[in-house]
């Protein structure tokens, strides 16, 4: 199946292009981006031009910032194309619900992807936790924004999520590990004086059974970076490290499958299209929305790139 990428930025180049190239199911056929293109392929300035010129491209991967993704997704769905949404699936919950409905009505697949759910250790961790009683969960997601998001203005604007842009990856793993819904109780959000999105946040949540979940997201960490989830249970301690890609049980590392996150995402997208289904889980975005709804806001030092 031919696929086009819209928004040819960092994640499109780093992950989507190689994952599509190595996928047996997809062939990259074009891009739509204002300032960039893939060498040797048809390139369009925007999705409308792409959709009009390329009726044979059946699938569209949307890799722009979340603030502009809804309009593009609506256009692709209206043109009868299957849609792969980068995470987060939108800037608001209601626009994602709108897309899910539109895809259903049009009979096309909508895949709201959460790449961290496809990290190597997540399914093994979910299996290990089944049948155990969780006592507490601790999430530390701390990285250097200057290293990972240099010059990305959209990430600091309303709808860009700030530190929740990486933090939502932790929440996507959390909501996959647990079998019941997670409830947010309280949050604090630190906004730089000159920015519209938080640079740090803490979340207090609970599992369905009442076990506490504490999450600490921070974009000011220099030196070693931390993407860890630790689960204390009645029968041992589980630690997912490096964004879900390494798994330890009581301190002993477990061997994991080698498939990367994006190849697994494209394999999932291919299966959904073949089965005529969609996959739209808003649970991680709902927790972020709740943190913005219920969180206490504080001002912190201005941030310059
Ligand atoms: P990026 O490097 O800024 O690329 C996004 C591209 O979208 C831009 O290069 C730009 O290309 C296009 N675009 C269209 N409208 C835009 C607008 N109004 N403002 C800015 N750019 C616009 O961002 P990214 O890191 O690839 O992230 C894109 C999405 O992927 C985000 O939702 C992010 O959470 C997700 N993601 C990123 C990573 C990562 O490691 N970077 C990992 C996983 C997921 P043109 O100017 O050519 O149109």
């Amino acid at each position: 199946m031919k696929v086009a990428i819209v928004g040819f930025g960092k994640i499109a180049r780093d992950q989507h292009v190689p994952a599509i190239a190595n996928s047996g199911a997809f062939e990259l056929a074009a891009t739509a981006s204002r300032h960039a293109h893939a060498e040797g392929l048809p390139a369009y300035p925007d999705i409308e031009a792409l959709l009009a010129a390329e009726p044979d491209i059946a699938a569209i991967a949307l890799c722009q910032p979340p603030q502009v993704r809804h309009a593009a997704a609506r256009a692709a769905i209206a043109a009868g194309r299957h849609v792969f949404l980068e995470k987060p699936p939108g800037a608001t919950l209601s626009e994602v619900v709108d897309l899910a409905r539109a895809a259903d009505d049009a009979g096309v697949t909508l895949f709201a992807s959460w790449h961290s759910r496809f990290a190597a250790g997540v399914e093994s961790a979910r299996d290990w936790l089944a049948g155990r009683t969780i006592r507490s969960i601790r999430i530390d997601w701390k990285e250097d924004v200057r290293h990972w998001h240099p010059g990305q203005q959209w990430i600091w604007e309303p709808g860009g999520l700030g530190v929740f842009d990486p933090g939502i990856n932790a929440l996507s793993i959390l909501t996959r590990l647990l079998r019941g819904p997670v409830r947010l109780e309280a949050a604090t959000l630190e906004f730089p004086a000159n920015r519209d999105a938080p640079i740090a946040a803490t979340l207090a949540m609970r599992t369905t059974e009442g076990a506490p979940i504490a999450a600490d997201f921070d974009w000011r960490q220099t030196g070693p970076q931390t993407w860890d989830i630790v689960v204390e249970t009645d029968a041992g301690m589980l630690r997912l490290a490096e964004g879900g890609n390494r798994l330890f049980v009581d301190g002993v590392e477990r061997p994991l499958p080698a498939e990367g996150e994006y190849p697994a995402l494209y394999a999932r997208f291919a299966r959904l299209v073949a089965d005529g289904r969609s996959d739209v889980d808003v649970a991680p975005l709902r927790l972020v929305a709740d943190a913005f709804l219920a969180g206490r806001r504080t001002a912190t030092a201005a941030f310059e790139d």
Side-chain angles (χ1 to χ4, degrees), residues 6-14 32-36 45 63-66 68-69 86-88 115 148-149 152 154-155 165 169 262:
V6 178
F8 205 61
K10 184 174 189 315
I11 198 61
R13 278 191 297 269
D14 290 358
S33 211
R34 299 163 307 176
H35 305 101
C63 301
Q64 327 93 306
V68 297
R69 226 179 280 135
E86 251 302 347
K87 52 68 48 172
H115 66 87
W148 298 103
H149 301 282
Q152 286 185 344
W154 60 264
I155 217 159
D165 176 82
N169 297 333
Y262 279 79

Side-chain angles (χ1 to χ4, degrees), residues 171-183:
L171 299 175
S172 75
I173 296 176
L174 174 74
T175 48
R176 177 69 191 157
L177 293 180
L178 302 179
R179 282 156 205 269
V182 175
R183 180 166 53 90

Side-chain angles (χ1 to χ4, degrees), residues 70-209:
H70 174 262
R74 266 295 205 156
I77 291 167
R81 318 300 168 95
H82 306 295
V83 174
F84 177 131
L85 296 172
E86 251 302 347
K87 52 68 48 172
T92 69
L93 282 168
S94 51
E95 69 184 33
V96 182
V97 172
D98 174 76
L99 292 181
R101 173 70 180 268
D104 260 8
D105 289 349
V108 299
T109 291
L110 180 68
F111 180 30
S113 73
W114 297 107
H115 66 87
S116 290
R117 284 188 175 172
F118 291 81
V122 174
E123 288 307 303
S124 303
R126 177 179 154 91
D127 291 346
W128 187 86
L129 286 169
R132 289 179 164 83
T133 300
I134 293 173
R135 303 256 193 251
S136 66
I137 302 180
R138 161 105 216 142
I139 300 173
D140 285 291
W141 226 252
K142 299 176 181 174
E143 60 178 50
D144 182 352
V145 64
R146 289 190 172 90
H147 179 80
W148 298 103
H149 301 282
Q152 286 185 344
Q153 287 310 307
W154 60 264
I155 217 159
W156 292 107
E157 286 164 8
L161 296 192
V163 76
F164 288 104
D165 176 82
I168 203 169
N169 297 333
L171 299 175
S172 75
I173 296 176
L174 174 74
T175 48
R176 177 69 191 157
L177 293 180
L178 302 179
R179 282 156 205 269
V182 175
R183 180 166 53 90
L184 183 117
E185 287 189 331
T188 61
L189 288 74
E190 283 184 66
F191 283 72
N194 59 341
R195 302 284 177 167
D196 287 320
I199 194 165
T202 61
L203 277 60
M205 299 168 281
R206 286 202 188 266
T207 66
T208 313
E209 296 75 23

Side-chain angles (χ1 to χ4, degrees), residues 200-245:
T202 61
L203 277 60
M205 299 168 281
R206 286 202 188 266
T207 66
T208 313
E209 296 75 23
I213 307 167
D216 204 343
F217 302 155
D218 205 320
W219 251 351
R220 296 166 296 197
Q221 177 144 309
T222 53
Q225 308 282 283
T226 312
W227 299 285
D228 273 7
I229 298 178
V230 174
V231 187
E232 300 277 0
T233 77
D234 61 335
M237 186 192 79
L238 176 142
R239 182 163 78 94
L240 272 172
E242 297 180 18
N245 284 299

